Amino acid sequence: MRMRHSGLVAAAAASVLVLAACGGDDDDAEGATGPGLINFYTDKGAWEPQFLDVSDVSELSLGLGLDFTGYSDADQYSAFIRQSFRTNEKPDLFTWHTGSELEDLVAEDLLAPTTHIWESAVGNGDVPEALREHFTVGEEQYCVPMNAAYWVMYYNKAIFEQYGLAEPTSWTELMTVADTLKDNGVAPFYETNILFSFVWFQTLLAGTDPELYNALSSGEASYTDPGVVAVMEQWRTMLEAGYFGDPGDQTTPQDQLKNGNVAMINFGTFLSGQLNSVAMESGTDYDFFVIPNVNAELPQTSLIFETGPMCTAKDAENETSALQYAEWWMGEEAQTTWANARGDVSFNPKALVQDQPLAELNEQSASGDYLLLERYFEATPTPVLTAALDGFSAFVTNPGDPMPILETIQAEADAYWSSEG
């Protein structure tokens, strides 16, 4: 019963919404999905096989499957979802972002609350209480976690073995590894000037001063503060010294690691699934380690995490069924299927993750040794993030004086926080 739409079909869906918006109200309009199907939209089009694996299970357990439409362009997807709320074809389920983007939809009264789902899931141990705050706006919860991921350092085991390298346990050791690789003509680290250009800013700042990292996201610190400038200068030094691969290389990160274009990739644990998809085996061809703090004096190791919401539109045609699906998604059966299909961790501690290193990371992350910090992409207000991504992309492409970039980002931050009172 599962259905798939992607590529040209996704583009066609946007055209249908334009026609629906122009057609006015039509209470007799036939829904886009049939009995037992929930329309599901995501900007993670490449994850279609894994979503449909879960859909197969949900059809048997729940009698509900996913009518999948995937996008690969984040901007097109965001525009499509926002436009859909002005039509009669509101999405039953769709993926989104926490932080200001979630708050924006709630402020416009566009989302169905999920407070009752969260109360049940927290109560029966399907999700940590600490995760709830990222889905809370006012007194209510909205959406459920679509996934969870930690940002760690992946590495090509064959390259490490070739040069006699071991997993570093300090920043000094990490830079020694990088120097060895660089001296042997191997680019130590992956870098990109598209979307994920923020990753090394995130890593360096969180590993140097986590309080300053958090203060930036709340407007309590400035991008021109000395601590932020020092991190940018450190990043600039690393870029100019040749520690990174070509940021303009359009080759996928998994292929860059497999082919030896780079030896290490600072990435979310969802990369495991992408590496598996190119016939790399966990523990044999690749492995990962938690990135050591830059500041060795910090009492806990900073560990970046992210979680993406799966939301239901208020007054969607299949709102009740979609919320039923969201509740099932939080449970052990769905999360065991999802984690192993994706080759990733799960927010549900009951999920049986088959990849042993990922399972161990899941357990370690809950210990007092790690300080969990929200990923920069979700923690940063959208207007500020847009300016930052533009600035960081330019910076990694042509490293130079970081102050003009930081001043531009801070101008957006000032405007945003002034508008928020």
Side-chain angles (χ1 to χ4, degrees):
M1 187 181 291
R2 67 187 187 174
M3 299 179 68
R4 316 170 184 218
H5 307 289
S6 57
L8 293 175
V9 178
S15 299
V16 170
L17 286 179
V18 172
L19 294 174
C22 295
D25 293 332
D26 183 3
D27 293 337
D28 297 326
E30 186 174 338
T33 60
L37 281 178
I38 299 170
N39 62 53
F40 172 63
Y41 299 92
T42 181
D43 57 352
K44 296 164 178 62
W47 295 8
E48 177 181 355
Q50 293 79 34
F51 279 115
L52 294 181
D53 282 348
V54 181
S55 180
D56 286 342
V57 176
S58 68
E59 287 179 18
L60 295 174
S61 294
L62 202 60
L64 294 171
L66 298 177
D67 183 1
F68 183 96
T69 300
Y71 279 73
S72 57
D73 185 287
D75 291 335
Q76 289 181 1
Y77 175 73
S78 179
F80 167 78
I81 291 296
R82 290 183 182 279
Q83 182 182 353
S84 74
F85 289 110
R86 301 197 297 271
T87 76
N88 293 325
E89 301 294 336
K90 298 177 179 65
D92 296 332
L93 284 174
F94 65 98
T95 59
W96 201 239
H97 298 287
T98 53
S100 63
E101 293 202 45
L102 178 62
E103 293 167 3
D104 289 345
L105 297 188
V106 173
E108 297 179 50
D109 196 27
L110 299 175
L111 298 181
T114 55
T115 305
H116 64 291
I117 296 176
W118 277 90
E119 289 175 351
S120 174
V122 171
N124 63 28
D126 280 337
V127 63
E129 169 66 38
L131 202 58
R132 193 202 300 238
E133 67 177 280
H134 301 288
F135 295 80
T136 300
V137 182
E139 300 299 320
E140 299 276 2
Q141 281 79 58
Y142 296 87
C143 315
V144 300
M146 183 273 293
N147 73 326
Y150 301 104
W151 282 70
V152 295
M153 190 72 76
Y154 283 84
Y155 65 94
N156 183 309
K157 286 182 67 72
I159 293 177
F160 265 50
E161 290 169 3
Q162 181 178 352
Y163 298 109
L165 302 173
E167 293 183 3
T169 58
S170 69
W171 186 261
T172 299
E173 290 179 4
L174 176 60
M175 297 312 297
T176 299
V177 167
D179 285 333
T180 300
L181 293 165
K182 187 163 65 74
D183 291 345
N184 284 279
V186 179
F189 303 117
Y190 169 81
E191 183 60 280
T192 180
N193 56 16
I194 300 175
L195 187 59
F196 287 161
S197 59
F198 67 89
V199 170
W200 276 91
F201 175 78
Q202 164 186 274
T203 296
L204 293 170
L205 184 56
T208 300
D209 189 342
E211 290 186 5
L212 179 58
Y213 178 85
N214 282 332
L216 276 185
S217 67
S218 61
E220 298 172 87
S222 169
Y223 280 85
T224 58
D225 284 351
V228 181
V229 176
V231 160
M232 289 293 289
E233 289 291 358
Q234 181 180 9
W235 192 10
R236 175 185 179 181
T237 298
M238 293 174 67
L239 287 162
E240 292 178 339
Y243 284 108
F244 297 96
D246 178 6
D249 190 341
Q250 300 299 302
T251 307
T252 63
Q254 58 266 30
D255 283 323
Q256 288 200 42
L257 193 71
K258 179 178 181 177
N259 298 336
N261 300 45
V262 296
M264 292 179 280
I265 300 184
N266 179 353
F267 224 79
T269 47
F270 49 86
L271 184 63
S272 288
Q274 295 167 217
L275 292 169
N276 297 342
S277 73
V278 295
M280 292 190 79
E281 184 177 341
S282 174
T284 301
D285 301 310
Y286 72 88
D287 211 330
F288 62 80
F289 55 87
V290 174
I291 303 170
N293 286 336
V294 181
N295 178 4
E297 301 302 315
L298 293 174
Q300 296 172 295
T301 299
S302 297
L303 180 59
I304 301 295
F305 85 96
E306 65 170 291
T307 179
M310 177 185 287
C311 305
T312 296
K314 184 178 181 180
D315 298 327
E317 180 181 11
N318 298 305
E319 178 181 339
T320 300
S321 294
L323 290 173
Q324 183 183 1
Y325 199 97
E327 184 170 14
W328 176 80
W329 181 270
M330 297 269 270
E332 180 180 349
E333 179 181 46
Q335 283 306 299
T336 294
T337 305
W338 173 248
N340 292 313
R342 279 290 308 141
D344 202 350
V345 298
S346 170
F347 58 81
N348 188 325
K350 300 177 185 176
L352 304 177
V353 179
Q354 294 172 358
D355 185 305
Q356 192 58 36
L358 288 174
E360 291 174 359
L361 177 63
N362 231 10
E363 293 178 6
Q364 292 168 1
S365 66
S367 75
D369 295 333
Y370 296 94
L371 175 65
L372 297 183
L373 298 168
E374 188 174 25
R375 188 173 70 153
Y376 181 83
F377 194 94
E378 285 76 30
T380 306
T382 302
V384 184
L385 177 66
T386 300
L389 293 180
D390 289 344
F392 295 154
S393 294
F395 186 72
V396 299
T397 303
N398 294 295
D401 181 4
M403 281 305 296
I405 292 171
L406 295 175
E407 288 168 351
T408 298
I409 301 172
Q410 186 55 39
E412 288 292 339
D414 289 338
Y416 175 81
W417 292 114
S418 295
S419 71
E420 292 295 304

